């Protein structure tokens, strides 16, 4: 391969300028580590809203969650894309008396 192309000229990879030196030489491992994408450096981008569920008088507390969960990689193209999802989690706790008071204030007939 030369410049990321095979014998037929098809692009097989694209050089990352962050990982290559300006004159085409490889950077040191230390420089590579600085340029590498690390998931713990990305903002979580996760939002949640606490919700009280009234199941015929049986109250429980849930979180509605949505946002950036991680990344996915296409097996064929190797492209990375964000994985954005939503999900509900049961907190396994009953609402506090104050939360129930607020709930009842908003749910008056």
């Amino acid at each position: 391969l030369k410049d990321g192309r095979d014998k037929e000229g098809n692009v097989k990879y694209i050089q990352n300028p962050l990982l290559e030196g300006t004159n085409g030489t490889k950077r040191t491992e230390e420089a590579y580590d600085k340029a590498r994408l690390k998931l713990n450096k990305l903002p979580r981008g996760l939002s949640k809203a606490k919700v009280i569920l009234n199941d015929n008088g049986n109250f429980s507390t849930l979180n509605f969650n949505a946002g950036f969960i991680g990344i996915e990689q296409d097996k064929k193209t190797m492209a990375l894309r964000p994985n954005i999802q939503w999900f509900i989690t049961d907190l396994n706790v009953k609402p506090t008396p104050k939360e129930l008071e607020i709930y009842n204030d908003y749910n008056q007939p």
Side-chain angles (χ1 to χ4, degrees):
L1 294 174
K2 183 176 179 167
D3 297 325
R5 297 180 184 271
D6 63 14
K7 293 176 188 174
E8 291 80 35
N10 300 312
V11 175
K12 292 295 183 182
Y13 69 91
I14 298 172
Q15 290 181 344
N16 183 338
L18 294 174
L19 306 179
E20 301 292 326
T22 54
N23 61 0
T25 60
K26 294 285 184 191
R27 290 191 176 187
T28 64
E29 186 66 25
E30 180 181 335
Y32 178 76
D33 282 341
K34 287 180 184 176
R36 187 179 301 168
L37 175 67
K38 296 181 178 105
L39 289 179
N40 64 349
K41 298 296 182 190
L42 295 174
R44 287 190 56 197
L46 192 61
S47 298
K48 57 184 163 183
K50 195 174 193 179
V51 177
I52 294 175
L53 174 66
N54 180 355
D55 184 13
N56 295 316
N58 184 20
F59 292 93
S60 56
T61 307
L62 309 173
N63 268 348
F64 283 22
N65 307 276
F68 178 75
I69 305 300
I71 59 173
E72 296 175 346
Q73 185 171 29
D74 186 287
K75 291 180 181 180
K76 185 175 180 181
T77 66
M78 304 305 284
L80 298 176
R81 67 177 151 262
N83 183 348
I84 300 171
Q85 302 287 328
W86 68 271
F87 56 97
I88 300 171
T89 52
D90 187 345
L91 299 178
N92 294 313
V93 296
K94 297 290 183 189
T96 66
K98 181 67 175 172
E99 290 171 332
L100 284 174
E101 181 182 328
I102 294 168
Y103 171 87
N104 289 326
D105 286 345
Y106 282 100
N107 290 286
Q108 295 294 326

